[in-house]
Structure formats: C-alpha cells, structure tokens
Amino acid sequence: MDTDYETIILETGETMEKAVSHTLHEFSTLHTGKASPSMVESLAVTVEAYGGSSMQLKELAAITTPDLRTIQIQPWDRSVIREVERAIQTANLGFNPIVNGTLIRIPIPELSGDRRRALVKMAYQKAEDGRIGIRHARHEALRSLKSLRKAGEISEDDLKRYEEDVQEETDQHIKEIAEHLKHKEKELTTV
C-alpha cells in the first residue's frame, strides 16, 4: 500500500528536481556581460577541423577568462586557429574574436540597459517554464494518487494527506525557482 505512494512521491520529487536543475541551467545561459568560458563552450560553437571533422571548441582549446571582459582561447594545435576563429564567428553569439599570435581573444561588451531588461524578461520566461514543469509533475502525481484511491488501495483520508504532501513538495520547488530567479535578476540588473 505505502510502496505505491512512496514511489509516486519519490518520482514526483525527482521530476520536480529535474525541472529546477533545468531552469538553473537555462539561467546559466543568460550572461551578464562578465566573461565566462561557458559563453563559448556551448553546442553552438562547433569547429570544422582536421579534414572536416566537427569538434566542440573545448575539445580543441584551453578556454580561460584572464579578466572580467575577455575570453581567451588557446588552441592546443596552432594549425586550427583560423578554424576556431571562423567557428566563433559563424556561431552567431555576437562576438568578434581577435587573433593574436597563438591566442584568440574575445572582448565582451558592456550590456546596455535595454539588453539587461531583455535578459531579465528571458529569465522570467525560463522560470515560468520551470514552474510549468513542476506543476505538471504535481498534476501527474495527483492523478496517480486518485487512481490508487479509485482502486481501493488507499483511503480517502490517505488521499487527502498524500495530496497535501505533493502540494508541499510543489511549493518547496517553486520557492526554490523563485529564489534563484531573484538572484539572477539582481545579477542581470547590477551594472
């Protein structure tokens, strides 16, 4: 009897946790104008090198941030430096790479007020997507619990208590997303 309930609660918690993790990952793609290796490590930057092989940038080069406004890329093989430069340009990330000998430097421009507001709006949308995922997990859990009640495996009182547990789990995860959104908004609006 309790095993089914426990399985439902466990799976619901895992699904909600995945929604929060996905939201945090989505937040990490919204950059504040500070240089970060993740800005070019994305799947968007694919380098055609060594006779047409597609490789991720991080497989071909060391990516560092020597200061807050610069990403520095140092290919391990100097012969692919032009291919790396071309891949960054064609990835449409809005960067203008500068080749300096064996290094590629990418200056990160300061964000305008409009761009910051647009990023905050995007953060709110990503948070809402996360909340939708959590509410969907809640809906599925409640549906499963009602099926258990209909099958006579749990009582009406148990159903009410379990529904409260699911709602508590939902509230906790939605609150977590709200806290992360508040932090991201502050990060995006701080000049």
Side-chain angles (χ1 to χ4, degrees):
M1 172 172 100
D2 285 336
T3 310
D4 290 329
Y5 157 73
E6 289 170 3
T7 303
I8 291 168
I9 294 299
L10 182 67
E11 289 174 356
T12 300
E14 288 173 356
T15 304
M16 289 179 179
E17 201 53 52
K18 284 178 187 173
V20 171
S21 294
H22 180 73
T23 302
L24 292 180
H25 173 73
E26 290 295 309
F27 282 172
S28 74
T29 65
L30 301 175
H31 298 287
T32 60
K34 286 187 256 175
S36 167
S38 66
M39 297 169 91
V40 292
E41 288 177 343
S42 71
L43 297 174
V45 182
T46 306
V47 181
E48 297 291 328
Y50 305 117
S53 298
S54 289
M55 300 178 78
Q56 294 298 310
L57 180 59
K58 61 186 173 186
E59 296 173 326
L60 291 170
I63 304 168
T64 58
T65 52
D67 59 58
L68 290 175
R69 296 267 173 244
T70 308
I71 297 173
Q72 182 173 287
I73 301 168
Q74 184 169 15
W76 291 305
D77 179 358
R78 295 177 186 185
S79 69
V80 298
I81 200 157
R82 292 293 171 199
E83 287 85 354
V84 170
E85 177 189 22
R86 192 172 15 262
I88 293 167
Q89 290 170 334
T90 58
N92 284 331
L93 299 174
F95 298 140
N96 188 19
I98 301 166
V99 177
N100 185 0
T102 61
L103 296 174
I104 298 173
R105 297 186 197 285
I106 303 173
I108 306 299
E110 183 69 41
L111 293 177
S112 68
D114 288 343
R115 180 67 181 143
R116 288 181 187 278
R117 284 187 290 280
L119 288 172
V120 168
K121 190 175 181 180
M122 289 169 64
Y124 272 87
Q125 183 57 52
K126 291 178 186 306
E128 181 57 24
D129 291 346
R131 288 189 294 263
I132 288 169
I134 290 169
R135 289 192 297 264
H136 179 73
R138 177 189 62 194
H139 174 76
E140 289 300 312
L142 295 177
R143 188 181 56 72
S144 297
L145 289 172
K146 287 176 182 168
S147 293
L148 287 178
R149 173 64 192 120
K150 196 172 187 178
E153 295 183 36
I154 60 174
S155 69
E156 190 66 35
D157 289 343
D158 286 341
L159 175 63
K160 293 294 180 203
R161 188 170 63 247
Y162 297 159
E163 285 176 341
E164 288 173 9
D165 292 346
V166 169
Q167 187 59 47
E168 204 173 286
E169 188 87 13
T170 303
D171 294 344
Q172 174 188 339
H173 285 90
I174 285 181
K175 182 180 176 191
E176 191 176 343
I177 285 181
E179 289 168 0
H180 288 295
L181 175 61
K182 183 178 174 185
H183 175 74
K184 190 66 179 182
E185 182 177 14
K186 183 178 179 190
E187 182 183 312
L188 290 169
T189 56
T190 302
V191 179

